[in-house]
Amino acid sequence: MDVQGYKWVRWRVWLCRLGAALSLGLLLIVFHWRPRLAVLARCCSCPLALADILLIRDSFNQHHVVEVLTEEMEDGSLELLVELEDNECRDTVQLHKEEKTLLRYYLFEGLRYIWLARKGAFCRVSVLDENWTCKDLYDFQKGLSPLEQSVRRRMYGTNLIDVPVKPYIKLLFEEVLNPFYVFQVFSIALWLSDEYYYYAVCIFIISVFSIGLSLYEIRKQSITLRNMAQFVINVTVRRKSGAEECVSSEELVPGDCLVIPQEGLLLPCDAALLAGECLVNESMLTGESVPVLKTPLPTGEGRYSSETEQRRHTLFCGTQLIQAKGGSSGAVAVVTSTGFFTAKGSLISSIMHPQPIDFRFYQDSTKFLLILGFVALIGTIYSTVVLWRANVTWLALLIRSLDIVTIAVPPALPAAITTGTIYAQRRLKRKGIFCISPPRINVCGKVSVFCFDKTGTLTEEGLDVWGVMEGGTAGFSELVPDPRLLAPGPMLSGLACCHTVTLLQGQPLGDPLELKMVESTGWTLQEPEGDGKVLDAEFGGHRVLAVLKPPTQGTSTSEAVAIVRRFPFSSALQRMSVVTVARGGRSVLAFIKGSPEMVASLCRAETVPAQFSSELSGFSSEGLRVLALGYKPVDGSTDLRAIERGEVEKDMRFLGLLIMKNLVKPESATVINILRMANLRSVMVTGDNILTAVNVAKGCGMVGFNETVIFVNATAQTARSAPTLKFSLEEGGASVTQTSIVTRGGFEYHLAINGKSFAALCNHFPEYLPKVLLRATVFARMAPDQKTQLVKELQKLNYRVGMCGDGANDCGALRAADVGVSLSEAEASVASPFTSKTENISCVPLLIREGRCSLVTSFSLFRYMATYSLIQFCSVLILYTVKTNLGDLQFLYCDLVLATLLAIVMGAGGPSKELHPCRPSASLLALPVLGSLLIHTFMIVVGQLAVFFITTSQDWYVPLNSTFFGSANLPNMENTSVFFLSAFQFIIMAVVVTKGYPHKKPIFFNWIFLCVLLVLFAVTTWLVLYPGPVVCRILQLHDFLDMDFKMLLVAVAALNFVICFVAEVLVDRGLLNCFRFLRGRRQSKKQYKRINALLSESLSWPPLDQTLSPTEHTVIQCS
């Protein structure tokens, strides 16, 4: 973000005020559209330290203007800040310490930026706490003094996610100053001056209705967002004196010690949990409906960050704390972020200030408007010459010339092209898919690769226990299908205790995998009641979190154990652990559970069976989910409340494997096959084992059973070895040669890579990364941030990337993707642009079909509005030439009855039932689009000139009175014949540009559009053949008496339709491709297509069973 400082210059300000008065406010409108010009005109550049106004250029190259604010700090605050904060904060106040202590800051997109003199820049106020360590947070457990709290509140601001709801007057002012409505006001004023009263009044009424509806929707959305974002409750905080005080959540600041009651609450800030445990529903943020157990933050000097593995110790703003466990007073947490700096605030800000959509259709629409503006300029010059030669007054010449601009550039164009998106959004909502970013619906139509999470997305959320294998120095035991059959010992205790399952109103809650694991042991879960001191005393005085009791039936000799410390599962760490004690504080054991590779790496080597790798590969290749467990005794004299995770999770003893069956959802294979038949790549991105992922990929059809899987193994650089890269075939696969895996025009192999290799590939082999991305189908053991990185790397290759996940660990990837779909029961989740209530991926082809339908509809509407303006443009220029024009009600009939009505119902057609292999174009400036428009424009001009000359060649033709100009000449023969054909042309072009197959249903399925077409055709035909004296008088039409001539007009219209329709069909079939052959074949602009073409011709890729170094192998380059 680039920030420049400016100071007010008084004489410039007064000069701008004078210019605004002399231009009747036009200068202010320009300043409103271009704030940067307003700053440059009124201010002069200066250092940031002295600036009154800041000009901000964001990462999307958009400019914003903000005012620098100051706030007076309390007496004594300087010394307090020096004591509490680091040097950054001292600089903030010392620079301005004169007689008073002033804080200089500005607000941008809800975030507060304060001046830091040592850095010479404005920085986010969160910089003051970004280096907090876990130890620092525990120091805040004592609470803040009233003065400390007051000073922090002035610096950090109020704890509110404030979504402004503007009053109707301000909204009206901003809406009316929209370029679209400014053009409407200009047009209405022009029409009134030209005495087109009926038309001007109708457009005015429509504009008022449109503005009113727009204001209502904007305000309604703002109120809805504010109600979702902003809430104020009373919370209990601990003060430095030791007293607890009830305060408004608005007064919370980072560093406040928050006491959370046992019954929970809706959290008004981000906070780090220091004592107790909390069961939290985070579905509002992640879309994940399963409550999450939060555990206390570990002590130590490590830096605190809510975005890393410490997420499991962080309570996020806007999440519902279902219950808190921490004794009679509940749990204790320290506030870490407030307002827009919270996780919820960041998401609300992304909704209020969405990033611009980089989509060619929207970019080309602006360029196309410029083309129409150029056409309008030519028309203005022509009409000026014609009118000047007709000796009209200067005022009439000016009005008529400007009128051409309002005809050639249709003011309703921007609104019209959103019609298709609105229809698509309504259809999606009826089918349980909710969208918070409607412009992305069109982007869905261009998706070229779709990434899928595995667990809960492609496969069932729940798992069934397949069996248990105990392991040790002697190897693995036989597979035990039911954990209840295990002999009492560490393995059985580990399965029963190593989890974060908790009770809510007597019912167990937690991760579905852990619920199945505990259920399979038959052990029961008990949690402390009241202050829990009874259970604490029973288990040696340790603070008990939960007790697991063996089944009372049978001959089990196992005894109850208590969980006294939990370290929850982290996707980045791929493990979790617990510390347990037996009754009386005996037998203190630590258990670990996680990915087999990770657990084995943390166990003593001599305890890991020699067959570990082979057994793991065998189970994984069968598609089974495998977890490993380990344990170790812990010294009973150790302070278990202060023990660190790193100390617990080292030198473990390997216990064995837990094997679970994860079934592929029945819909997954069908959907993947649909995408494959439509030439859409499917990619799996999972945190599971790579062999399990490959098996699931084969099960759902991502990888064919006759297709080869090649594993990509990359190692990072170490002190003893250089980075390496190797491509090797899956074990047990058919023996193939280098050339046999490459096929003509395609490939029958898939690459599979895990998270470690992906990281090494990105860091040490960037030259190979694009080629691997182009052929990789399975990405396994991927951390959440790696999923996001993968999406961004695919986008760098010019892919339009879709991402479908359950929202839990996929939030970053869902938001980074062009099209993110969260499978959630929530109606709308801010985790992604799209939320589907369907718990499988069947929503994906539906979304793509709706996106393609919406994109094709937007194209049709854009072309129709363009041809509509060109039809009227040609009519007016022809009539100007003979000193006449269309009448007021004739304009009204063409614009409202014909064009507007047809544009509204044109987008009502639904999507095709099948996904076609080709995607619709997104370029309005492509050869077929411009070529067909030129052909249609030519036929429009020829048709209108034909009826004009046919009319003037009739024996009964009477020339109009050339002493008058414009509507004073009405009715006349020239006007009537041109008007009749132009009316038919509006209907003709609506049929011609409306596309059906392959992305939309045929036109006869859109029965509303079809009925309107037939009615309007019948009405227009009636106007031509039997108008009657009353209608002729109202519309200022000449009543031709020659029926043969009237039939000839209809025949010309029919011929015009046939020629345009045939031309459109031929263009669709590739008639204009001959021009591309003349131009010569060009490389695709999309990088992935260029790389794909080169890889298809290369017989040496991928280099099998060769160990590559970063500089050793020849790289395929793309120009």
Side-chain angles (χ1 to χ4, degrees):
M1 192 166 69
D2 180 45
V3 182
Q4 296 177 339
Y6 292 87
K7 284 187 71 71
W8 294 112
V9 179
R10 184 168 299 180
W11 67 267
R12 288 191 180 186
V13 173
W14 280 104
L15 193 61
C16 288
R17 290 174 180 173
L18 179 62
L22 294 176
S23 64
L24 301 179
L26 185 61
L27 184 62
L28 295 180
I29 294 175
V30 173
F31 285 168
H32 177 76
W33 292 343
R34 291 289 182 265
R36 181 171 178 268
L37 295 180
V39 172
L40 296 177
R42 296 167 173 167
C43 307
C44 66
S45 180
C46 71
L48 290 175
L50 306 173
D52 301 319
I53 295 291
L54 299 177
L55 184 63
I56 299 174
R57 187 179 64 189
D58 61 21
S59 56
F60 309 111
N61 210 30
Q62 296 180 341
H63 288 89
H64 309 268
V65 177
V66 296
E67 183 180 357
V68 177
L69 306 173
T70 59
E71 186 165 348
E72 184 180 340
M73 306 294 284
E74 296 180 7
D75 292 338
S77 62
L78 176 62
E79 292 75 13
L80 188 59
L81 288 171
V82 170
E83 178 185 348
L84 291 178
E85 308 293 352
D86 58 12
N87 291 332
E88 305 285 11
C89 195
R90 271 180 269 161
D91 294 333
T92 303
V93 291
Q94 284 177 346
L95 177 68
H96 300 283
K97 188 185 178 187
E98 298 166 356
E99 296 179 359
K100 297 179 180 179
T101 303
L102 292 180
L103 176 71
R104 300 182 75 243
Y105 67 95
Y106 70 87
L107 300 174
F108 179 62
E109 295 184 351
L111 302 178
R112 179 177 286 222
Y113 293 76
I114 60 173
W115 174 251
L116 300 179
R118 188 160 63 89
K119 289 190 174 183
F122 284 94
C123 298
R124 291 187 179 189
V125 69
S126 57
V127 74
L128 302 178
D129 52 60
E130 66 180 6
N131 290 321
W132 278 353
T133 63
C134 297
K135 181 178 180 300
D136 293 333
L137 291 175
Y138 272 96
D139 290 341
F140 286 121
Q141 198 170 2
K142 301 174 184 177
L144 300 175
S145 68
L147 180 59
E148 290 171 343
Q149 212 272 347
S150 176
V151 171
R152 287 177 179 270
R153 195 185 319 141
R154 288 183 178 275
M155 295 201 63
Y156 286 92
T158 308
N159 177 33
L160 277 179
I161 303 175
D162 188 21
V163 178
V165 178
K166 299 175 183 177
Y168 277 114
I169 295 295
K170 187 172 183 179
L171 284 174
L172 177 64
F173 177 77
E174 292 180 353
E175 192 72 11
V176 169
L177 290 184
N178 183 295
F180 163 67
Y181 286 114
V182 169
F183 189 53
Q184 286 281 43
V185 170
F186 163 75
S187 302
I188 290 171
L190 192 66
W191 297 327
L192 287 173
S193 65
D194 203 24
E195 300 181 355
Y196 283 150
Y197 298 122
Y198 292 121
Y199 186 67
V201 168
C202 285
I203 295 299
F204 176 76
I205 292 172
I206 291 173
S207 297
V208 168
F209 177 77
S210 175
I211 290 174
L213 187 64
S214 178
L215 296 187
Y216 172 76
E217 287 294 330
I218 292 173
R219 189 172 168 85
K220 180 183 175 183
Q221 290 173 8
S222 297
I223 292 173
T224 302
L225 192 59
R226 183 181 64 178
N227 293 339
M228 181 176 73
Q230 182 176 322
F231 64 97
V232 179
I233 58 173
N234 290 327
V235 294
T236 303
V237 296
R238 183 179 294 166
R239 294 299 181 208
K240 210 163 192 174
S241 60
E244 293 184 355
E245 180 182 348
C246 184
V247 300
S248 170
S249 59
E250 290 180 282
E251 300 177 15
L252 290 176
V253 295
D256 266 329
C257 183
L258 195 63
V259 179
I260 302 171
Q262 286 185 334
E263 62 273 15
L265 78 162
L266 189 63
L267 203 67
C269 59
D270 284 0
L273 186 61
L274 302 185
E277 293 185 334
C278 292
L279 190 63
V280 186
N281 182 354
E282 294 185 336
S283 60
M284 186 271 169
L285 292 181
T286 66
E288 175 60 66
S289 58
V290 178
V292 180
L293 184 68
K294 303 285 185 171
T295 57
L297 184 74
T299 57
E301 295 293 338
R303 181 173 172 269
Y304 169 78
S305 173
S306 63
E307 297 177 358
T308 59
E309 64 271 10
Q310 291 159 345
R311 180 182 181 87
R312 294 302 295 263
H313 313 296
T314 303
L315 308 173
F316 293 104
C317 177
T319 58
Q320 179 67 54
L321 272 65
I322 301 173
Q323 66 178 15
K325 307 167 190 175
S328 57
S329 60
V332 176
V334 167
V335 178
T336 55
S337 300
T338 57
F340 278 98
F341 288 99
T342 62
K344 181 181 178 182
S346 175
L347 291 172
I348 295 296
S349 179
S350 69
I351 296 175
M352 293 173 61
H353 312 282
Q355 69 179 61
I357 298 176
D358 180 22
F359 193 48
R360 190 166 182 179
F361 174 74
Y362 300 124
Q363 297 167 353
D364 284 358
S365 59
T366 305
K367 297 175 184 176
F368 201 90
L369 282 175
L370 295 177
I371 294 175
L372 290 179
F374 179 71
V375 172
L377 177 62
I378 295 174
T380 302
I381 295 171
Y382 175 80
S383 60
T384 301
V385 173
V386 170
L387 295 172
W388 178 74
R389 294 179 65 182
N391 296 319
V392 299
T393 63
W394 283 104
L395 180 60
L397 188 148
L398 179 64
I399 292 173
R400 296 294 179 195
S401 299
L402 292 176
D403 191 33
I404 291 294
V405 178
T406 67
I407 293 170
V409 183
L413 182 59
I417 60 176
T418 62
T419 307
T421 304
I422 293 170
Y423 279 117
Q425 188 177 10
R426 289 178 180 175
R427 289 193 297 266
L428 287 171
K429 189 173 182 180
R430 286 198 298 267
K431 294 175 181 177
I433 300 175
F434 301 91
C435 175
I436 61 172
S437 180
R440 289 194 182 270
I441 294 177
N442 279 344
V443 181
C444 294
K446 291 295 290 181
V447 168
S448 47
V449 59
F450 227 104
C451 302
F452 295 94
D453 180 37
K454 183 181 77 68
T455 306
T457 303
L458 293 171
T459 62
E460 300 287 355
E461 185 69 54
L463 297 96
D464 295 319
V465 174
W466 187 262
V468 180
M469 286 182 67
E470 291 188 88
T473 53
F476 283 103
S477 67
E478 291 294 323
L479 179 71
V480 179
D482 187 353
R484 299 170 198 249
L485 302 177
L486 288 171
M491 185 67 182
L492 183 60
S493 298
L495 291 172
C497 302
C498 197
H499 56 78
T500 55
V501 174
T502 186
L503 293 177
L504 179 63
Q505 298 177 351
Q507 295 298 316
L509 279 178
D511 184 271
L513 182 150
E514 294 185 333
L515 287 171
K516 281 285 185 182
M517 183 181 74
V518 176
E519 180 187 334
S520 70
T521 63
W523 289 43
T524 56
L525 177 66
Q526 177 189 348
E527 292 188 340
E529 297 179 356
D531 58 9
K533 291 183 179 178
V534 176
L535 274 179
D536 294 352
E538 185 179 345
F539 287 90
H542 295 288
R543 179 65 185 153
V544 174
L545 303 176
V547 175
L548 276 300
K549 296 182 177 179
T552 54
Q553 300 175 349
T555 59
S556 172
T557 58
S558 299
E559 60 176 341
V561 292
I563 301 173
V564 294
R565 192 71 193 271
R566 280 192 184 109
F567 299 98
F569 177 78
S570 164
S571 298
L573 298 177
Q574 300 178 10
R575 63 183 184 269
M576 70 151 298
S577 56
V578 296
V579 179
T580 66
V581 297
R583 280 193 170 92
R586 299 177 293 103
S587 183
V588 182
L589 297 176
F591 292 95
I592 186 172
K593 171 175 74 33
S595 72
E597 302 92 339
M598 180 57 70
V599 171
S601 70
L602 297 171
C603 291
R604 286 158 44 190
E606 66 270 16
T607 67
V608 180
Q611 307 91 342
F612 170 78
S613 297
S614 60
E615 291 288 349
L616 175 60
S617 297
F619 288 125
S620 298
S621 60
E622 294 177 19
L624 298 169
R625 180 82 179 270
V626 185
L627 297 175
L629 288 92
Y631 89 108
K632 73 174 181 181
V634 178
D635 188 352
S637 62
T638 305
D639 183 0
L640 299 183
R641 287 178 298 181
I643 192 170
E644 294 187 4
R645 184 168 193 159
E647 183 64 28
V648 171
E649 297 175 345
K650 72 176 184 179
D651 297 328
M652 306 292 283
R653 299 177 184 175
F654 190 82
L655 272 176
L657 301 175
L658 170 66
I659 302 101
M660 308 191 83
K661 183 69 173 178
N662 193 197
L663 299 175
V664 176
K665 291 180 180 179
E667 301 85 0
S668 296
T670 304
V671 171
I672 296 301
N673 185 57
I674 290 172
L675 298 181
R676 195 167 191 175
M677 296 299 291
N679 290 337
L680 289 170
R681 270 189 71 192
S682 298
V683 172
M684 182 192 297
V685 192
T686 177
D688 208 343
N689 178 277
I690 192 168
L691 294 175
T692 304
V694 168
N695 183 276
V696 172
K698 290 181 177 180
C700 66
M702 279 189 186
V703 177
F705 283 97
N706 60 337
E707 293 177 330
T708 305
V709 176
I710 300 173
F711 291 96
V712 182
N713 299 297
T715 59
Q717 185 169 4
T718 64
R720 297 182 179 179
S721 62
T724 60
L725 175 64
K726 189 174 183 179
F727 297 84
S728 55
L729 291 170
E730 60 180 323
E731 293 184 12
S735 178
V736 295
T737 63
Q738 178 69 51
T739 57
S740 66
I741 62 172
V742 181
T743 64
R744 185 176 179 84
F747 62 99
E748 57 180 22
Y749 67 92
H750 297 262
L751 301 183
I753 187 171
N754 62 28
K756 286 185 177 179
S757 294
F758 180 74
L761 188 69
C762 293
N763 294 331
H764 303 291
F765 301 90
E767 65 272 23
Y768 292 98
L769 180 61
K771 292 173 292 189
V772 171
L773 293 177
L774 208 67
R775 293 290 188 260
T777 301
V778 175
F779 294 84
R781 291 285 187 237
M782 297 285 280
D785 59 328
Q786 287 182 313
K787 293 182 180 182
T788 306
Q789 184 183 1
L790 172 63
V791 168
K792 292 180 177 179
E793 292 294 340
L794 287 170
Q795 288 171 332
K796 289 178 183 177
L797 297 180
N798 306 123
Y799 276 113
R800 285 287 172 190
V801 184
M803 175 72 196
C804 183
D806 57 12
N809 297 318
D810 310 315
C811 286
L814 287 170
R815 296 185 62 207
D818 297 291
V819 177
V821 188
S822 174
L823 304 183
S824 169
E825 294 181 0
E827 181 169 307
S829 168
V830 290
S832 63
F834 297 94
T835 305
S836 173
K837 283 191 172 183
T838 308
E839 295 183 354
N840 56 64
I841 62 173
S842 60
C843 59
V844 170
L846 172 62
L847 191 58
I848 296 173
R849 287 193 289 113
E850 286 288 2
R852 291 182 175 185
C853 175
S854 174
L855 184 57
V856 169
T857 301
S858 298
F859 257 79
S860 297
L861 284 164
F862 198 101
R863 295 174 64 205
Y864 180 66
M865 296 304 292
T867 51
Y868 143 70
S869 65
L870 291 171
I871 290 169
Q872 209 166 73
F873 177 75
C874 295
S875 301
V876 170
L877 288 186
I878 290 172
L879 295 177
Y880 271 11
T881 307
V882 293
K883 299 185 178 181
T884 187
N885 198 2
L886 293 173
D888 196 357
L889 292 179
Q890 291 174 1
F891 272 121
L892 202 62
Y893 178 76
C894 292
D895 289 347
L896 296 185
V897 179
L898 294 178
T900 303
L901 191 57
L902 287 170
I904 289 173
V905 297
M906 187 185 292
S912 173
K913 291 184 178 180
E914 296 180 355
L915 269 180
H916 198 267
C918 70
R919 292 175 293 145
S921 172
S923 175
L924 284 167
L925 303 181
L927 182 61
V929 179
L930 292 179
S932 66
L933 271 179
L934 287 173
I935 293 172
H936 296 326
T937 303
F938 176 75
M939 293 312 303
I940 287 167
V941 174
V942 169
Q944 293 186 13
L945 287 175
V947 297
F948 176 81
F949 288 117
I950 290 172
T951 303
T952 57
S953 65
Q954 299 300 312
D955 296 336
W956 39 257
Y957 168 69
V958 178
L960 54 78
N961 187 350
S962 60
T963 58
F964 296 98
F965 189 91
S967 56
N969 268 325
L970 298 178
N972 60 66
M973 296 181 182
E974 295 90 336
N975 162 275
T976 304
S977 58
V978 171
F979 167 72
F980 282 155
L981 185 67
S982 66
F984 275 120
Q985 285 176 335
F986 287 123
I987 302 171
I988 290 168
M989 296 314 301
V991 177
V992 169
V993 302
T994 299
K995 300 292 183 182
Y997 180 84
H999 304 301
K1000 284 184 67 176
K1001 290 179 180 178
I1003 191 172
F1004 51 79
F1005 280 94
N1006 188 357
W1007 60 269
I1008 299 178
F1009 180 52
L1010 199 60
C1011 290
V1012 170
L1013 274 175
L1014 294 174
V1015 170
L1016 292 179
F1017 177 75
V1019 170
T1020 305
T1021 305
W1022 168 71
L1023 282 178
V1024 175
L1025 300 179
Y1026 305 103
V1030 177
V1031 174
C1032 285
R1033 185 172 65 253
I1034 293 173
L1035 291 179
Q1036 297 177 286
L1037 297 174
H1038 179 83
D1039 189 4
F1040 295 109
L1041 301 178
D1042 187 349
M1043 181 56 69
D1044 292 338
F1045 174 74
K1046 294 179 181 180
M1047 294 300 294
L1048 183 59
L1049 289 179
V1050 177
V1052 172
L1055 182 62
N1056 197 334
F1057 167 72
V1058 170
I1059 294 174
C1060 287
F1061 186 80
V1062 171
E1064 185 72 16
V1065 171
L1066 291 175
V1067 169
D1068 287 342
R1069 296 294 176 88
L1071 175 67
L1072 301 179
N1073 287 342
C1074 58
F1075 292 103
R1076 291 179 176 171
F1077 293 133
L1078 294 174
R1079 180 189 66 185
R1081 190 172 182 180
R1082 293 184 181 177
Q1083 279 192 326
S1084 172
K1085 293 181 179 178
K1086 291 183 172 59
Q1087 191 176 349
Y1088 75 88
K1089 288 186 177 181
R1090 300 201 305 270
I1091 298 174
N1092 184 58
L1094 291 172
L1095 289 183
S1096 299
E1097 298 170 0
S1098 173
L1099 298 178
S1100 60
W1101 178 265
L1104 293 177
D1105 299 322
Q1106 300 178 32
T1107 302
L1108 310 175
S1109 62
T1111 57
E1112 179 181 323
H1113 205 73
T1114 303
V1115 180
I1116 296 176
Q1117 295 287 349
C1118 288
S1119 57

